[in-house]
Coordinates of all heavy atoms in Angstrom, one line a residue:
S1 N 21.1 -3.3 3.5 CA 22.4 -3.2 4.2 C 23.6 -3.2 3.3 O 24.5 -2.4 3.4 CB 22.5 -4.3 5.3 OG 21.5 -4.2 6.2
D2 N 23.5 -4.1 2.3 CA 24.6 -4.2 1.3 C 24.8 -2.9 0.5 O 25.9 -2.5 0.2 CB 24.4 -5.3 0.4 CG 24.6 -6.7 1.0 OD1 25.2 -6.7 2.1 OD2 24.2 -7.7 0.5
K3 N 23.6 -2.2 0.3 CA 23.6 -1.0 -0.5 C 23.8 0.3 0.4 O 23.8 1.4 -0.1 CB 22.3 -0.8 -1.2 CG 22.1 -1.9 -2.3 CD 20.8 -1.6 -3.1 CE 20.9 -0.3 -3.9 NZ 19.7 0.0 -4.6
K4 N 24.0 0.0 1.7 CA 24.1 1.1 2.7 C 22.9 2.0 2.7 O 23.0 3.3 2.9 CB 25.4 1.9 2.4 CG 26.7 1.1 2.3 CD 27.0 0.3 3.5 CE 28.3 -0.5 3.4 NZ 28.2 -1.6 2.4
E5 N 21.7 1.5 2.5 CA 20.5 2.3 2.5 C 19.5 1.9 3.6 O 18.4 2.3 3.6 CB 19.8 2.1 1.1 CG 20.6 2.6 -0.1 CD 19.9 2.4 -1.4 OE1 18.8 1.8 -1.4 OE2 20.4 2.8 -2.5
I6 N 20.0 1.2 4.6 CA 19.1 0.7 5.6 C 18.7 1.9 6.5 O 17.6 1.9 7.1 CB 19.8 -0.3 6.5 CG1 18.8 -1.1 7.4 CG2 20.9 0.3 7.4 CD1 18.0 -2.0 6.6
D7 N 19.5 3.0 6.6 CA 19.2 4.2 7.3 C 18.7 5.3 6.5 O 18.4 6.4 7.0 CB 20.4 4.7 8.1 CG 20.8 3.7 9.3 OD1 19.8 3.2 9.9 OD2 22.0 3.4 9.5
A8 N 18.6 5.1 5.2 CA 18.0 6.1 4.3 C 16.5 6.2 4.6 O 15.9 5.3 5.2 CB 18.2 5.7 2.8
L9 N 15.8 7.3 4.1 CA 14.4 7.5 4.4 C 13.6 6.3 3.9 O 12.8 5.8 4.7 CB 14.0 8.8 3.8 CG 12.5 9.2 4.0 CD1 12.1 9.3 5.4 CD2 12.1 10.5 3.3
H10 N 13.8 5.9 2.7 CA 13.0 4.8 2.2 C 13.3 3.5 2.9 O 12.4 2.7 3.0 CB 13.2 4.7 0.6 CG 14.6 4.2 0.2 ND1 15.6 5.1 0.0 CD2 15.1 3.0 0.0 CE1 16.7 4.5 -0.3 NE2 16.4 3.2 -0.3
G11 N 14.6 3.4 3.3 CA 14.9 2.2 4.1 C 14.2 2.1 5.4 O 13.7 1.1 5.9
R12 N 14.1 3.2 6.2 CA 13.5 3.3 7.4 C 12.0 3.0 7.3 O 11.3 2.4 8.1 CB 13.7 4.6 8.1 CG 15.2 4.9 8.4 CD 15.3 6.0 9.5 NE 14.5 7.2 9.3 CZ 15.0 8.2 8.6 NH1 16.2 8.3 8.1 NH2 14.2 9.3 8.5
I13 N 11.4 3.6 6.2 CA 9.9 3.4 6.0 C 9.7 2.0 5.7 O 8.7 1.4 6.2 CB 9.5 4.3 4.9 CG1 9.5 5.8 5.3 CG2 8.0 4.0 4.4 CD1 9.3 6.8 4.2
A14 N 10.5 1.4 4.8 CA 10.3 0.0 4.5 C 10.4 -0.9 5.7 O 9.6 -1.8 5.9 CB 11.4 -0.5 3.5
L15 N 11.4 -0.7 6.6 CA 11.5 -1.5 7.8 C 10.2 -1.3 8.7 O 9.8 -2.3 9.3 CB 12.7 -1.1 8.6 CG 14.1 -1.5 7.9 CD1 15.2 -1.1 8.8 CD2 14.1 -3.0 7.7
G16 N 9.7 -0.1 8.7 CA 8.5 0.1 9.5 C 7.3 -0.7 9.0 O 6.6 -1.3 9.8
F17 N 7.0 -0.7 7.7 CA 5.9 -1.4 7.2 C 6.1 -2.9 7.2 O 5.2 -3.7 7.1 CB 5.2 -0.9 6.0 CG 6.1 -0.8 4.7 CD1 6.5 -2.0 4.1 CD2 6.3 0.4 4.1 CE1 7.3 -1.9 2.9 CE2 7.1 0.5 3.0 CZ 7.6 -0.7 2.4
L18 N 7.4 -3.3 7.2 CA 7.7 -4.8 7.4 C 7.3 -5.3 8.7 O 6.9 -6.4 8.9 CB 9.2 -5.0 7.1 CG 9.6 -5.0 5.6 CD1 11.1 -5.1 5.5 CD2 8.9 -6.1 4.8
I19 N 7.5 -4.4 9.8 CA 7.1 -4.7 11.1 C 5.5 -4.9 11.1 O 5.0 -5.8 11.8 CB 7.5 -3.7 12.1 CG1 9.0 -3.7 12.3 CG2 6.9 -3.9 13.5 CD1 9.6 -2.6 13.1
V20 N 4.8 -4.0 10.4 CA 3.4 -4.1 10.3 C 3.0 -5.5 9.7 O 2.1 -6.2 10.1 CB 2.8 -3.0 9.5 CG1 1.3 -3.2 9.3 CG2 3.1 -1.6 10.3
Q21 N 3.7 -5.8 8.6 CA 3.5 -7.1 8.0 C 3.7 -8.3 8.9 O 2.9 -9.3 9.0 CB 4.4 -7.3 6.8 CG 4.0 -6.5 5.5 CD 4.8 -6.9 4.3 OE1 5.7 -7.8 4.4 NE2 4.6 -6.2 3.2
D22 N 4.7 -8.2 9.8 CA 5.0 -9.2 10.8 C 3.8 -9.4 11.7 O 3.4 -10.5 12.1 CB 6.3 -8.9 11.5 CG 7.5 -9.1 10.7 OD1 7.4 -9.8 9.7 OD2 8.6 -8.5 11.0
L23 N 3.2 -8.2 12.1 CA 2.1 -8.3 13.0 C 0.9 -8.9 12.3 O 0.1 -9.7 12.9 CB 1.7 -6.9 13.5 CG 2.7 -6.2 14.3 CD1 2.3 -4.7 14.6 CD2 2.9 -6.9 15.7
V24 N 0.7 -8.7 11.0 CA -0.3 -9.3 10.3 C -0.1 -10.8 10.2 O -1.0 -11.6 10.2 CB -0.5 -8.7 8.8 CG1 -1.5 -9.5 8.0 CG2 -0.9 -7.2 8.9
V25 N 1.2 -11.2 10.0 CA 1.5 -12.6 10.0 C 1.0 -13.3 11.3 O 0.4 -14.4 11.3 CB 3.0 -12.8 9.8 CG1 3.4 -14.3 10.1 CG2 3.4 -12.5 8.4
V26 N 1.3 -12.6 12.4 CA 0.9 -13.1 13.7 C -0.6 -13.3 13.8 O -1.1 -14.4 14.2 CB 1.4 -12.2 14.8 CG1 0.8 -12.7 16.2 CG2 2.9 -12.1 14.9
M27 N -1.4 -12.3 13.3 CA -2.8 -12.4 13.4 C -3.3 -13.5 12.5 O -4.3 -14.3 12.8 CB -3.4 -11.1 13.0 CG -3.1 -9.9 13.9 SD -3.5 -10.2 15.6 CE -5.3 -10.5 15.4
A28 N -2.7 -13.7 11.3 CA -3.2 -14.7 10.4 C -2.9 -16.1 11.0 O -3.8 -17.0 10.8 CB -2.4 -14.6 9.0
M29 N -1.8 -16.3 11.6 CA -1.5 -17.6 12.2 C -2.4 -17.9 13.4 O -2.8 -19.0 13.7 CB 0.0 -17.6 12.7 CG 0.9 -17.7 11.5 SD 2.6 -17.9 12.0 CE 3.5 -18.1 10.4

């Protein structure tokens, strides 16, 4: 967000696989 790249292509992809990581966190717990 500070770099104004949250809506860039790599930013959107990164946010997508961070959500996947969050789901893995849920399963691990």
Side-chain angles (χ1 to χ4, degrees):
S1 298
D2 290 345
K3 295 183 66 180
K4 310 299 182 292
E5 295 180 0
I6 198 71
D7 290 318
L9 178 59
H10 66 274
R12 299 202 309 269
I13 293 173
L15 291 180
F17 59 66
L18 286 173
I19 292 175
V20 175
Q21 285 189 1
D22 290 339
L23 295 175
V24 174
V25 168
V26 174
M27 298 304 299
M29 289 183 175

